[in-house]
Amino acid sequence: MQTRAARLTAVLTALLAATLLTSRPGVAAAPLTPRPAAAASLTEVTGFGSNPGALRMFRHDPPDLTANAPVVVALHGCGQDAGYAVDSGWTALADRLHFSVVVPQQSTANNLGKCFDWFQAGDIARGAGEAASIAQMVDRQIADVRGDASRVYVTGLSAGGGMTAVMMAAYPEKFAAGGVVAGLPYGCSDAAGGPYPCMYGWANQTPAQWGDRVRRARPGYPGPWPALTVFQGSADGTVKPSNMTDLVGQWTDVQGTDQSADVSDTVAGYPHRLYRGPSGRVVAETYGVTGMGHGQPVDPAAGCGSAAPYLLDVHLCAAGRLSDTWGLGLG
């Protein structure tokens, strides 16, 4: 049982993280609300498990969804809600490529800024809190739609990106890959002494130390570990670009390879890197979006996502690139 002082500390920490993740110069911090299309395309699911993290579950199932289709878990950022899955382009891609989308939603009762609690020890451990609630949503979705348990993917923006790394670490057997957008390495808040120094890249860990944090999240797990893709704006003043470097260090170490890119090229004019594991499989991938601030890249002109606060039109669509990388349109 938490003491009153401990509860107050937790609330203040949540307030700090919410402020940091929802405020930056020149961008409104107002919460995003689902447009009419979002309300029509997302269905709430209740009774999906014990739900220790007290989250809400929404989903999008295309009308022509067949058995053994992939499942994508999409985690919104601070101040956002389940409508993120619509605005980021995931639901439209699901209709086109025939997969389903699970959309966890945070509440102000858990976090005043509606941030997923990627920095709270009780929410990032296997079998506990918000991480356990999201895992239960995955199990419910696979059972309901007879989804392919070997083709489940997780992605998220900002605090949702931090929670994406949590799910990859705490439940690696559930996810084939993860996409972190402007997010943080697993265990970053603990490593840095709090969410603020974590976000500013002050954790000061070696790749092996980062990797050890993941391995401790799932002791004795033999693999395979999920592959990682990261999108990060070079001008992000909220989650510093060094977090992408730390994510690569963490997950290449977990995958047993070095931190030197095997492929360096450009996509849509932006730096793109691929890192291969010992078997030659791509285990990490990065998109450094030059000049982009804090947010997720979208490309409305290409029919992928909509420009909105923290959904930034830079002619590159994170959801589209991830769907290609994960082969969501195949079989």
Side-chain angles (χ1 to χ4, degrees), residues 70-105:
V71 175
V72 172
V73 179
L75 296 157
H76 64 75
C78 296
Q80 295 176 324
D81 55 26
Y84 160 79
V86 177
D87 291 337
S88 60
W90 277 114
T91 56
L93 283 165
D95 289 341
R96 189 183 315 152
L97 301 177
H98 313 294
F99 60 87
S100 65
V101 185
V102 173
V103 196
Q105 182 171 289

Short mmCIF file of all heavy atoms in Angstrom, two decimals, residues 70-105:
data_model
loop_
_atom_site.label_atom_id
_atom_site.label_comp_id
_atom_site.label_asym_id
_atom_site.label_seq_id
_atom_site.Cartn_x
_atom_site.Cartn_y
_atom_site.Cartn_z
N PRO A 70 -3.14 -10.36 -39.38
CA PRO A 70 -2.28 -9.72 -38.39
C PRO A 70 -3.08 -8.79 -37.47
O PRO A 70 -4.21 -8.38 -37.78
CB PRO A 70 -1.30 -8.91 -39.25
CG PRO A 70 -1.39 -9.48 -40.61
CD PRO A 70 -2.79 -9.99 -40.75
N VAL A 71 -2.46 -8.44 -36.35
CA VAL A 71 -3.04 -7.51 -35.37
C VAL A 71 -2.00 -6.44 -35.07
O VAL A 71 -0.83 -6.76 -34.82
CB VAL A 71 -3.43 -8.23 -34.07
CG1 VAL A 71 -3.93 -7.23 -33.03
CG2 VAL A 71 -4.48 -9.31 -34.33
N VAL A 72 -2.41 -5.17 -35.09
CA VAL A 72 -1.54 -4.05 -34.73
C VAL A 72 -2.10 -3.38 -33.48
O VAL A 72 -3.29 -3.05 -33.43
CB VAL A 72 -1.42 -3.02 -35.87
CG1 VAL A 72 -0.68 -1.77 -35.40
CG2 VAL A 72 -0.71 -3.64 -37.07
N VAL A 73 -1.27 -3.17 -32.48
CA VAL A 73 -1.64 -2.41 -31.28
C VAL A 73 -1.09 -1.00 -31.45
O VAL A 73 0.12 -0.82 -31.65
CB VAL A 73 -1.06 -3.06 -30.01
CG1 VAL A 73 -1.44 -2.24 -28.78
CG2 VAL A 73 -1.55 -4.49 -29.87
N ALA A 74 -1.96 0.02 -31.40
CA ALA A 74 -1.57 1.40 -31.62
C ALA A 74 -1.79 2.21 -30.35
O ALA A 74 -2.91 2.32 -29.86
CB ALA A 74 -2.38 2.00 -32.77
N LEU A 75 -0.71 2.78 -29.81
CA LEU A 75 -0.73 3.48 -28.51
C LEU A 75 -0.56 4.98 -28.71
O LEU A 75 0.46 5.45 -29.23
CB LEU A 75 0.41 2.93 -27.64
CG LEU A 75 0.27 1.45 -27.25
CD1 LEU A 75 1.62 0.86 -26.91
CD2 LEU A 75 -0.70 1.30 -26.09
N HIS A 76 -1.56 5.73 -28.28
CA HIS A 76 -1.55 7.18 -28.47
C HIS A 76 -0.55 7.89 -27.57
O HIS A 76 -0.02 7.32 -26.61
CB HIS A 76 -2.96 7.74 -28.25
CG HIS A 76 -3.48 7.59 -26.85
ND1 HIS A 76 -3.05 8.35 -25.80
CD2 HIS A 76 -4.44 6.75 -26.34
CE1 HIS A 76 -3.70 8.03 -24.69
NE2 HIS A 76 -4.54 7.03 -24.99
N GLY A 77 -0.32 9.16 -27.89
CA GLY A 77 0.55 9.99 -27.07
C GLY A 77 -0.23 10.74 -26.01
O GLY A 77 -1.45 10.59 -25.87
N CYS A 78 0.47 11.55 -25.22
CA CYS A 78 -0.17 12.34 -24.17
C CYS A 78 -1.18 13.31 -24.77
O CYS A 78 -0.99 13.85 -25.85
CB CYS A 78 0.87 13.13 -23.39
SG CYS A 78 2.03 12.11 -22.48
N GLY A 79 -2.29 13.49 -24.06
CA GLY A 79 -3.32 14.41 -24.51
C GLY A 79 -4.18 13.86 -25.63
O GLY A 79 -5.12 14.51 -26.05
N GLN A 80 -3.85 12.68 -26.11
CA GLN A 80 -4.60 12.08 -27.20
C GLN A 80 -5.53 10.98 -26.67
O GLN A 80 -5.59 10.73 -25.47
CB GLN A 80 -3.64 11.49 -28.24
CG GLN A 80 -2.79 12.54 -28.94
CD GLN A 80 -1.77 11.93 -29.90
OE1 GLN A 80 -1.21 10.87 -29.63
NE2 GLN A 80 -1.54 12.59 -31.02
N ASP A 81 -6.25 10.35 -27.58
CA ASP A 81 -7.14 9.26 -27.20
C ASP A 81 -7.14 8.24 -28.34
O ASP A 81 -6.26 8.27 -29.21
CB ASP A 81 -8.55 9.78 -26.88
CG ASP A 81 -9.16 10.59 -28.01
OD1 ASP A 81 -8.78 10.37 -29.19
OD2 ASP A 81 -10.02 11.44 -27.74
N ALA A 82 -8.13 7.35 -28.34
CA ALA A 82 -8.16 6.28 -29.32
C ALA A 82 -8.25 6.79 -30.75
O ALA A 82 -7.89 6.08 -31.70
CB ALA A 82 -9.31 5.33 -29.02
N GLY A 83 -8.71 8.03 -30.95
CA GLY A 83 -8.77 8.60 -32.29
C GLY A 83 -7.42 8.69 -32.97
O GLY A 83 -7.34 8.86 -34.19
N TYR A 84 -6.35 8.55 -32.19
CA TYR A 84 -5.00 8.51 -32.75
C TYR A 84 -4.87 7.45 -33.83
O TYR A 84 -4.19 7.65 -34.84
CB TYR A 84 -4.00 8.25 -31.62
CG TYR A 84 -2.66 7.72 -32.06
CD1 TYR A 84 -1.69 8.56 -32.61
CD2 TYR A 84 -2.35 6.36 -31.93
CE1 TYR A 84 -0.45 8.06 -33.00
CE2 TYR A 84 -1.12 5.86 -32.34
CZ TYR A 84 -0.18 6.71 -32.87
OH TYR A 84 1.04 6.22 -33.26
N ALA A 85 -5.53 6.32 -33.65
CA ALA A 85 -5.42 5.23 -34.62
C ALA A 85 -6.00 5.63 -35.97
O ALA A 85 -5.56 5.12 -37.01
CB ALA A 85 -6.12 3.98 -34.10
N VAL A 86 -6.98 6.52 -35.96
CA VAL A 86 -7.57 7.02 -37.21
C VAL A 86 -6.66 8.08 -37.81
O VAL A 86 -6.28 8.00 -38.99
CB VAL A 86 -8.97 7.59 -36.95
CG1 VAL A 86 -9.55 8.17 -38.24
CG2 VAL A 86 -9.89 6.52 -36.39
N ASP A 87 -6.28 9.07 -37.01
CA ASP A 87 -5.53 10.20 -37.53
C ASP A 87 -4.12 9.83 -37.99
O ASP A 87 -3.56 10.48 -38.87
CB ASP A 87 -5.45 11.31 -36.48
CG ASP A 87 -6.80 11.96 -36.23
OD1 ASP A 87 -7.66 11.88 -37.12
OD2 ASP A 87 -7.00 12.54 -35.14
N SER A 88 -3.54 8.80 -37.40
CA SER A 88 -2.20 8.38 -37.79
C SER A 88 -2.19 7.51 -39.03
O SER A 88 -1.13 7.22 -39.59
CB SER A 88 -1.53 7.62 -36.64
OG SER A 88 -2.28 6.47 -36.30
N GLY A 89 -3.38 7.08 -39.47
CA GLY A 89 -3.50 6.30 -40.70
C GLY A 89 -3.68 4.81 -40.50
O GLY A 89 -3.88 4.08 -41.49
N TRP A 90 -3.68 4.34 -39.26
CA TRP A 90 -3.71 2.90 -39.04
C TRP A 90 -5.04 2.25 -39.45
O TRP A 90 -5.06 1.15 -40.01
CB TRP A 90 -3.38 2.56 -37.59
CG TRP A 90 -1.91 2.53 -37.35
CD1 TRP A 90 -1.17 3.38 -36.57
CD2 TRP A 90 -0.97 1.61 -37.92
NE1 TRP A 90 0.16 3.05 -36.61
CE2 TRP A 90 0.31 1.97 -37.43
CE3 TRP A 90 -1.08 0.53 -38.80
CZ2 TRP A 90 1.47 1.26 -37.80
CZ3 TRP A 90 0.06 -0.17 -39.17
CH2 TRP A 90 1.32 0.19 -38.67
N THR A 91 -6.16 2.89 -39.18
CA THR A 91 -7.43 2.24 -39.51
C THR A 91 -7.64 2.17 -41.02
O THR A 91 -8.16 1.17 -41.53
CB THR A 91 -8.61 2.96 -38.84
OG1 THR A 91 -8.61 4.35 -39.21
CG2 THR A 91 -8.52 2.84 -37.31
N ALA A 92 -7.24 3.21 -41.74
CA ALA A 92 -7.36 3.17 -43.20
C ALA A 92 -6.47 2.08 -43.79
O ALA A 92 -6.86 1.36 -44.72
CB ALA A 92 -7.01 4.53 -43.80
N LEU A 93 -5.27 1.93 -43.25
CA LEU A 93 -4.38 0.87 -43.71
C LEU A 93 -4.96 -0.50 -43.39
O LEU A 93 -4.84 -1.43 -44.19
CB LEU A 93 -3.01 1.02 -43.05
CG LEU A 93 -2.11 2.11 -43.64
CD1 LEU A 93 -0.94 2.40 -42.70
CD2 LEU A 93 -1.58 1.70 -45.02
N ALA A 94 -5.61 -0.62 -42.23
CA ALA A 94 -6.23 -1.89 -41.86
C ALA A 94 -7.31 -2.28 -42.86
O ALA A 94 -7.42 -3.45 -43.26
CB ALA A 94 -6.81 -1.81 -40.46
N ASP A 95 -8.10 -1.30 -43.30
CA ASP A 95 -9.14 -1.58 -44.29
C ASP A 95 -8.53 -2.00 -45.62
O ASP A 95 -9.06 -2.89 -46.31
CB ASP A 95 -10.01 -0.34 -44.50
CG ASP A 95 -10.91 -0.04 -43.31
OD1 ASP A 95 -11.13 -0.95 -42.49
OD2 ASP A 95 -11.38 1.10 -43.20
N ARG A 96 -7.44 -1.38 -45.98
CA ARG A 96 -6.82 -1.64 -47.28
C ARG A 96 -6.05 -2.96 -47.28
O ARG A 96 -6.07 -3.70 -48.27
CB ARG A 96 -5.86 -0.49 -47.61
CG ARG A 96 -5.31 -0.50 -49.03
CD ARG A 96 -4.32 0.63 -49.23
NE ARG A 96 -4.82 1.88 -48.67
CZ ARG A 96 -4.05 2.87 -48.22
NH1 ARG A 96 -2.74 2.76 -48.27
NH2 ARG A 96 -4.58 3.97 -47.75
N LEU A 97 -5.39 -3.28 -46.16
CA LEU A 97 -4.49 -4.43 -46.12
C LEU A 97 -5.06 -5.61 -45.34
O LEU A 97 -4.41 -6.65 -45.25
CB LEU A 97 -3.14 -4.02 -45.53
CG LEU A 97 -2.41 -2.89 -46.28
CD1 LEU A 97 -1.12 -2.52 -45.56
CD2 LEU A 97 -2.12 -3.30 -47.72
N HIS A 98 -6.22 -5.41 -44.72
CA HIS A 98 -6.95 -6.52 -44.08
C HIS A 98 -6.27 -7.05 -42.82
O HIS A 98 -5.97 -8.23 -42.71
CB HIS A 98 -7.20 -7.65 -45.08
CG HIS A 98 -7.71 -7.19 -46.41
ND1 HIS A 98 -8.96 -6.62 -46.55
CD2 HIS A 98 -7.14 -7.19 -47.64
CE1 HIS A 98 -9.14 -6.29 -47.82
NE2 HIS A 98 -8.05 -6.62 -48.49
N PHE A 99 -6.04 -6.16 -41.86
CA PHE A 99 -5.61 -6.56 -40.53
C PHE A 99 -6.45 -5.80 -39.52
O PHE A 99 -7.19 -4.87 -39.88
CB PHE A 99 -4.11 -6.30 -40.32
CG PHE A 99 -3.69 -4.85 -40.46
CD1 PHE A 99 -3.74 -3.97 -39.38
CD2 PHE A 99 -3.23 -4.38 -41.68
CE1 PHE A 99 -3.32 -2.64 -39.51
CE2 PHE A 99 -2.83 -3.05 -41.83
CZ PHE A 99 -2.88 -2.18 -40.75
N SER A 100 -6.40 -6.19 -38.26
CA SER A 100 -7.18 -5.49 -37.24
C SER A 100 -6.27 -4.63 -36.36
O SER A 100 -5.06 -4.84 -36.30
CB SER A 100 -7.96 -6.49 -36.37
OG SER A 100 -7.09 -7.31 -35.62
N VAL A 101 -6.88 -3.64 -35.71
CA VAL A 101 -6.14 -2.70 -34.88
C VAL A 101 -6.73 -2.67 -33.47
O VAL A 101 -7.95 -2.50 -33.31
CB VAL A 101 -6.18 -1.27 -35.47
CG1 VAL A 101 -5.29 -0.33 -34.66
CG2 VAL A 101 -5.74 -1.27 -36.93
N VAL A 102 -5.89 -2.84 -32.47
CA VAL A 102 -6.28 -2.71 -31.07
C VAL A 102 -5.77 -1.36 -30.58
O VAL A 102 -4.60 -1.01 -30.80
CB VAL A 102 -5.67 -3.84 -30.22
CG1 VAL A 102 -5.94 -3.61 -28.73
CG2 VAL A 102 -6.23 -5.18 -30.66
N VAL A 103 -6.64 -0.59 -29.91
CA VAL A 103 -6.28 0.76 -29.51
C VAL A 103 -6.54 0.94 -28.01
O VAL A 103 -7.67 1.25 -27.60
CB VAL A 103 -7.06 1.82 -30.30
CG1 VAL A 103 -6.40 3.19 -30.15
CG2 VAL A 103 -7.16 1.45 -31.77
N PRO A 104 -5.54 0.74 -27.16
CA PRO A 104 -5.70 1.05 -25.74
C PRO A 104 -5.88 2.56 -25.55
O PRO A 104 -5.33 3.36 -26.32
CB PRO A 104 -4.38 0.58 -25.12
CG PRO A 104 -3.80 -0.38 -26.13
CD PRO A 104 -4.24 0.15 -27.46
N GLN A 105 -6.66 2.94 -24.55
CA GLN A 105 -6.85 4.36 -24.26
C GLN A 105 -6.61 4.62 -22.78
O GLN A 105 -7.15 3.92 -21.91
CB GLN A 105 -8.26 4.81 -24.64
CG GLN A 105 -8.50 6.30 -24.39
CD GLN A 105 -9.80 6.78 -24.98
OE1 GLN A 105 -9.96 6.89 -26.19
NE2 GLN A 105 -10.78 7.08 -24.12
#
